[in-house]
Amino acid sequence: MIDQTSHDFGVDLRYDNATEFLGRKNRFVAGATTTRGAIDDVRFSNEFGNRGARIADNDQTALNAGVYLQNSHYFLGDVALVAGSQFSYARVEMVETSRTPPERPGRLA
């Protein structure tokens, strides 16, 4: 059984510009986002659907970041050609703070 407590925080910044380009309606959007999370991950043996002995305690951290661009150029009234790009980065790290092997009755260590 797994018991996790997560604390997450994120920030998103966005720039939006709607002006004419080459004599036609145009919209440009650029942005960046980042999220950080910290998880306390405690694992227990499963005793017939109930929490048993603690078998592991881990600290996990995650970092996600991204930037994006999008341009919409209206070439026929309300019809637009839309192009965009995105770059994403993600990192997850886990540190095992303690581990206790589960008891297994009837098995030799």
Side-chain angles (χ1 to χ4, degrees):
M1 301 184 90
I2 300 173
D3 184 5
Q4 293 182 333
T5 302
S6 177
H7 302 281
D8 302 324
F9 178 77
V11 175
D12 186 28
L13 299 173
R14 177 180 164 142
Y15 171 77
D16 198 332
N17 182 330
T19 60
E20 284 194 6
F21 179 69
L22 300 175
R24 300 198 173 147
K25 187 167 94 172
N26 195 76
R27 183 173 181 207
F28 176 75
V29 177
T33 183
T34 184
T35 306
R36 183 183 185 288
I39 300 172
D40 182 25
D41 175 9
V42 183
R43 298 179 184 223
F44 300 88
S45 63
N46 186 342
E47 304 291 333
F48 302 101
N50 295 309
R51 182 180 298 175
R54 185 176 77 182
I55 57 174
D57 191 352
N58 306 301
D59 291 330
Q60 300 175 16
T61 57
L63 174 66
N64 298 289
V67 293
Y68 57 91
L69 304 170
Q70 178 178 305
N71 194 71
S72 303
H73 187 71
Y74 292 80
F75 61 94
L76 289 175
D78 287 336
V79 179
L81 174 64
V82 180
S85 182
Q86 176 182 348
F87 171 78
S88 296
Y89 170 81
R91 184 185 82 216
V92 177
E93 183 178 312
M94 183 173 97
V95 176
E96 189 173 55
T97 56
S98 71
R99 179 161 174 74
T100 306
E103 294 181 19
R104 295 188 179 178
R107 299 186 96 185
L108 297 175

